[in-house]
Amino acid sequence: MKKRTIFIVAIITIGLITWGVLAHILSQKDIAFTLQPGEYTLHIRQKSGREVAKIDSTQTLTLKTGDYYYNISGEGYDGKSIPFTVDTDTEITIQPRYLESFVSTLEEREKPAIVSLLSQTYPSVGIIVVDSFTIDKTATWGSGKLHLGNNTNDIYRYILKRKDGAWEVLIRPTIAISKLEAKDVPEEILYSLY
Amino acid sequence: MNKKIIFTLITLVIVGAAAFLVFALSQNKESTEPQQSPDTEVNVESDQERDKDTNEPLDKRYVDFLENMDGSREYNTRTFGIIELSTILGSKINEVAAVGEYRSALILDISTALAIYGDVELEKEYETLTVIPDSIAVEGNSKITANVRLGQSDKIVPLSVQILTTPFKSFIPGQTVRHGYVTINQGESAFRYLGGLEPSVFNSYSTTQTNFSQPTVMIRSDKREDALKYLKDIGYKIPDLTISFGNYRSLFE
């Protein structure tokens, strides 16, 4: 009788342990963090605020199911916390955003290079006067208006994209850019030009 | 003794497997809970007000207006259901805030769009296009939807009108500016009529729609920025349109 009781208790204990191990294994999910280029660090925190990981390149982390936050740190970056929930294997793409004040500094710093880029790309149009140059918060898109010489009658809109750290002309200076010819450009950038 | 060990091992395996099965099922149950589907319900409102209104005589101004509509006279296709549309909008005038004093102009845009659709897009296959009164609905306060019957057939196509409102009325003092952006049918077969373009001829530039499968506009003038500003002022977002310019070639091409 005693042996039988011990046997039953042992079986229940082992069953519970098995359950616990399986529950632990199945509650782990793979979260693939894809980090867009930039000099920043990604911090991942539990809802309680405890930091569970810190990465500075694309990688996959195994996290327990639950609610988390992430934020980035680095010079000029917006460190706002973004919530996310782990309940299944998933991918999260991190697109860092700069602070407005930092973007303004970037615009001022890079405007001469933009004028030079446009003049070199279109040498036969005459004197290009860049009226405005704006960089979006991801520092991926540059856009603005320009005119030629003294002719302020026609205003041209242009869109640049940063690739491998350098600006490229994506949409050549055009009076009216349509969505059809700028399919990859975020709409808010297009609308801001009018 | 050996039998006991074997029995114990088998029991352990069975208990473990059962535990795993129960846990896996509970996980599976969680993941198969119905997901919240996107809200695709179309807000079709009942037209109780319309029933009351249709028993009353139509406002003579609208009858005169519709009889003297230039746009529809130019096309062989006739459009019906417009008076009902006007009546419904009249009864909902407070609800459809964007219509306001521009109701007549809006109706003209819709009639013109239907007439051109019947004549040009459908190549006069149907003599009449009819807005089905019971299908007319208002979404939000700036969009009208309805169904249109083609001739006497069972073929029905959807119509939607985005009401565009300009804050700037000084282009043609004393006249209203039109604001209806009409889409008939959908997907690749969509036909689009841009309302509000005609008045611009009074401003030393002209804007016309040149393609009805896409929202395309041709601007003929040296005052290109003014024309763009006009389009913006009557409610169009410029990047939504494909704009070309007459007698102009960009130096950047």
Side-chain angles (χ1 to χ4, degrees), chain A residues 194, chain B residues 165-167 227-238:
Chain A
Y194 297 91
Chain B
T165 311
T166 169
L228 290 182
K229 187 175 182 309
Y230 166 75
L231 288 170
K232 190 181 170 189
D233 282 343
I234 62 171
Y236 290 106
K237 292 176 178 173
I238 305 299

Side-chain angles (χ1 to χ4, degrees), chain B residues 86-209:
Chain B
S86 181
T87 306
I88 290 169
L89 288 180
S91 71
K92 289 175 173 283
I93 208 82
N94 292 326
E95 185 184 340
V96 192
V99 175
E101 62 188 286
Y102 303 114
R103 175 164 51 143
S104 305
L106 190 63
I107 295 297
L108 178 58
D109 274 347
I110 297 168
S111 312
T112 308
L114 282 166
I116 299 174
Y117 179 67
D119 244 36
V120 179
E121 186 75 9
L122 301 179
E123 297 176 333
K124 301 174 188 169
E125 189 179 346
Y126 305 94
E127 278 188 14
T128 58
L129 301 183
T130 310
V131 178
I132 302 171
D134 289 342
S135 71
I136 300 165
V138 174
E139 290 181 16
N141 68 0
S142 61
K143 192 175 182 184
I144 300 163
T145 59
N147 288 329
V148 176
R149 186 182 301 284
L150 308 183
Q152 301 299 314
S153 73
D154 292 334
K155 290 181 183 169
I156 289 173
V157 293
L159 172 146
S160 72
V161 187
Q162 188 68 46
I163 305 164
L164 303 172
T165 311
T166 169
F168 187 59
K169 301 177 186 174
S170 61
F171 286 107
I172 315 158
Q175 290 191 39
T176 55
V177 179
R178 294 194 275 154
H179 298 89
Y181 175 23
V182 186
T183 304
I184 306 171
N185 215 336
Q186 53 198 349
E188 288 184 0
S189 304
F191 170 92
R192 295 182 172 85
Y193 177 75
L194 302 171
L197 301 186
E198 291 81 353
S200 59
V201 293
F202 296 97
N203 290 273
S204 74
Y205 50 80
S206 72
T207 48
T208 48
Q209 186 170 7

Side-chain angles (χ1 to χ4, degrees), chain A residues 108-134:
Chain A
E108 258 178 58
R109 195 170 72 197
E110 301 200 12
K111 191 174 175 181
I114 297 308
V115 175
S116 171
L117 169 70
L118 290 167
S119 300
Q120 284 170 15
T121 310
Y122 304 101
S124 60
V125 298
I127 298 168
I128 292 176
V129 181
V130 174
D131 301 313
S132 64
F133 172 60
T134 305

Side-chain angles (χ1 to χ4, degrees), chain A residues 124-193:
Chain A
S124 60
V125 298
I127 298 168
I128 292 176
V129 181
V130 174
D131 301 313
S132 64
F133 172 60
T134 305
I135 298 176
D136 79 315
K137 282 191 174 179
T138 67
T140 309
W141 303 94
S143 60
K145 299 179 190 179
L146 61 84
H147 66 269
L148 297 175
N150 296 323
N151 179 10
T152 53
N153 204 25
D154 281 332
I155 304 296
Y156 297 84
R157 281 89 182 167
Y158 62 91
I159 296 177
L160 314 175
K161 190 172 185 184
R162 194 196 291 271
K163 199 175 175 187
D164 298 329
W167 290 107
E168 289 180 353
V169 178
L170 188 76
I171 303 286
R172 65 164 175 258
T174 306
I175 292 178
I177 302 171
S178 83
K179 265 201 275 192
L180 282 179
E181 62 183 313
K183 283 177 184 162
D184 299 331
V185 181
E187 283 188 2
E188 63 269 22
I189 292 174
L190 278 176
Y191 291 147
S192 71
L193 291 170

Side-chain angles (χ1 to χ4, degrees), chain A residues 19-33:
Chain A
W19 174 286
V21 170
L22 285 170
H24 176 74
I25 292 168
L26 290 174
S27 69
Q28 304 283 308
K29 302 293 174 191
D30 287 338
I31 311 297
F33 288 94

Side-chain angles (χ1 to χ4, degrees), chain B residues 211-228:
Chain B
N211 181 341
F212 290 103
S213 61
Q214 288 174 2
T216 55
V217 178
M218 161 76 85
I219 293 173
R220 291 182 187 83
S221 172
D222 289 338
K223 296 183 174 180
R224 287 175 275 272
E225 270 309 299
D226 289 348
L228 290 182

